Amino acid sequence: AYAEAQAVLAESRDRAREDGDPASEAYALSHLGIATWGADGPAAAEPVLREALALHRAQGNPVGENMGLVYLALTAAEHG
């Protein structure tokens, strides 16, 4: 199930990039990071989540930024 989710979310990210929609790209990356975490563990998810966080910050999106920080904290707690 995670592999399918990763494929769909990667497509969503790619479409958002192609459309020049960084807000949608950031949310797609956030969810892709979670799917990657489920499939491959927290270490694999961290770079995806960091990319999402950077986009949320660049957009001035405090909700997305806070979500990204929570996800990174959880990966750090699990990964050590």
Side-chain angles (χ1 to χ4, degrees):
Y2 286 118
E4 184 178 347
Q6 286 174 296
V8 171
L9 290 163
E11 181 180 354
S12 176
R13 175 206 56 206
D14 294 346
R15 286 184 181 195
R17 281 182 183 163
E18 291 169 9
D19 292 344
D21 182 357
S24 294
E25 180 183 353
Y27 278 107
L29 279 165
S30 294
H31 296 295
L32 178 58
I34 296 304
T36 300
W37 184 355
D40 304 314
E46 184 180 342
V48 180
L49 293 170
R50 287 194 181 281
E51 185 179 358
L53 177 59
L55 281 173
H56 284 300
R57 284 182 168 158
Q59 293 298 302
N61 179 356
V63 173
E65 184 176 351
N66 289 335
M67 177 182 64
L69 290 170
V70 168
Y71 289 159
L72 284 172
L74 292 171
T75 62
E78 187 173 317
H79 187 255

